[in-house]
Amino acid sequence: MLLQISNPLRAEMFNIIFQNIKLFTDNINIAFTTGQIDIQCIDPAHVAVLEVHIGSSWFDKYELSDNIEGLTIGVNANLIGKIFGTRNKMQDIVIECSDDPDTLSVRFVCEDKNVYDKTFEMPLIDLDVDVMEIPIMDDYEAEFSMPSHIYASLMSQLKLFGETMDIDCSEDNIMLHSSGVDSGKMTTEISIDDLNEFAIDEGGVLNISYSLSYMCNVANFYKLSNDIELKFKQDYPVQLKYNLGTDDANVTFYIAPKISDGE
């Protein structure tokens, strides 16, 4: 298996994914097929799911051996995060391994002689993890898209005042709240007119709560895309998605709602 990313913007996206995936899990399986790479991980508390899907054409070079249909490797999320943390933004990414690998080779290379090439060999691990089949939902009750940097800023501010984000969503407005016994309360209104896209069921009203710890972890990926898509349904996990510039490349999160003590 060999893949290479020379496009600076896409190389930085790939870098962001692997530097932050450790926020959700300690170890990950990466599945390489002829058409794409897939990653799915579930946090230990089973509150959040992260999925990465990137089509083979997204890469500058993507090769699998002719004698295999696919390859799945297990890696330590903290270790691969450290490796990608050393990459200079000018460097291409080259990843390769054999058909029956014990190690993964990661190289960061650049034509600029003032930027030193780096090569890493990381051990692979065997992970017995089943892939969760997440059903495709076409009946979300509210959907909107907003600038990802604004989402990240709001999540970090809300977390200053509590551990839970309450969202109230209607045809007229979207209100976000967080509060704590000793930290006071923050409320902010997201103007419908300022959103890139907004849709809600006619007469629909949603009142849902989510852990700000997980919502902030999603926000750490905000540089992947100019916008983030959010889809809500009462009592169901929220879907948050960053598109990576093509129809077959995205990073998607599912975060389960918090259940109040009274329920």
Side-chain angles (χ1 to χ4, degrees):
M1 182 276 296
L2 169 67
L3 66 84
Q4 180 171 346
I5 312 173
S6 300
N7 179 290
L9 179 60
R10 293 184 178 182
E12 186 61 17
M13 290 177 182
F14 206 71
N15 200 76
I16 290 168
I17 292 170
F18 283 102
Q19 280 202 69
N20 289 286
I21 207 166
K22 63 181 181 291
L23 297 172
F24 290 87
T25 188
D26 292 329
N27 301 297
I28 57 171
N29 270 338
I30 308 174
F32 301 89
T33 62
T34 54
Q36 64 185 27
I37 73 168
D38 295 288
I39 301 170
Q40 184 190 80
C41 61
I42 305 171
D43 82 291
H46 287 207
V47 173
V49 176
L50 179 157
E51 291 191 330
V52 179
H53 304 291
I54 305 178
S56 57
S57 61
W58 191 86
F59 300 91
D60 293 282
K61 184 178 291 186
Y62 187 97
E63 299 174 357
L64 287 182
S65 299
D66 294 335
N67 59 323
I68 62 171
E69 294 183 357
L71 174 69
T72 298
I73 61 172
V75 300
N76 179 270
N78 286 288
L79 178 55
I80 201 168
K82 289 178 182 179
I83 289 172
F84 275 88
T86 71
R87 176 183 165 270
N88 183 288
K89 291 187 177 183
M90 296 175 62
Q91 291 179 312
D92 294 0
I93 298 171
V94 182
I95 299 176
E96 55 187 323
C97 66
S98 65
D99 295 346
D100 187 20
D102 293 317
T103 61
L104 181 71
S105 170
V106 180
R107 290 188 291 129
F108 303 137
V109 298
C110 180
E111 293 182 357
D112 189 333
K113 299 305 178 184
N114 293 316
V115 179
Y116 296 130
D117 293 349
K118 307 180 187 80
T119 300
F120 304 87
E121 295 288 336
M122 67 176 300
L124 300 180
I125 53 181
D126 292 325
L127 296 174
D128 185 15
V129 180
D130 293 329
V131 176
M132 177 185 293
E133 292 294 333
I134 298 178
I136 298 175
M137 290 181 55
D138 55 8
D139 60 345
Y140 283 103
E141 297 170 5
E143 305 178 16
F144 60 87
S145 172
M146 65 187 299
S148 56
H149 73 279
I150 293 179
Y151 166 82
S153 178
L154 286 176
M155 292 306 108
S156 63
Q157 292 167 15
L158 285 164
K159 196 166 188 308
L160 295 173
F161 298 91
E163 296 299 321
T164 300
M165 180 190 78
D166 301 312
I167 178 168
D168 300 325
C169 186
S170 68
E171 292 179 283
D172 298 322
N173 58 32
I174 299 171
M175 303 294 293
L176 305 180
H177 316 270
S178 69
S179 62
V181 174
D182 300 319
S183 58
K185 182 176 182 178
M186 174 179 170
T187 299
T188 187
E189 179 178 0
I190 299 176
S191 173
I192 302 300
D193 295 334
D194 292 340
L195 295 173
N196 301 328
E197 298 177 9
F198 178 73
I200 189 170
D201 291 351
E202 185 175 356
V205 177
L206 297 177
N207 308 104
I208 320 176
S209 301
Y210 298 97
S211 166
L212 274 167
S213 177
Y214 290 98
M215 300 297 276
C216 286
N217 285 347
V218 173
N220 275 277
F221 293 76
Y222 80 95
K223 291 184 180 179
L224 286 176
S225 174
N226 289 333
D227 302 313
I228 183 171
E229 300 174 5
L230 302 96
K231 298 183 179 182
F232 297 90
K233 183 175 181 178
Q234 190 72 44
D235 301 325
Y236 279 78
V238 57
Q239 182 195 97
L240 307 100
K241 179 185 290 187
Y242 296 104
N243 291 308
L244 306 183
T246 61
D247 291 338
D248 61 351
N250 58 74
V251 178
T252 305
F253 306 84
Y254 301 89
I255 299 176
K258 297 189 74 170
I259 306 300
S260 68
D261 295 336
E263 296 185 33

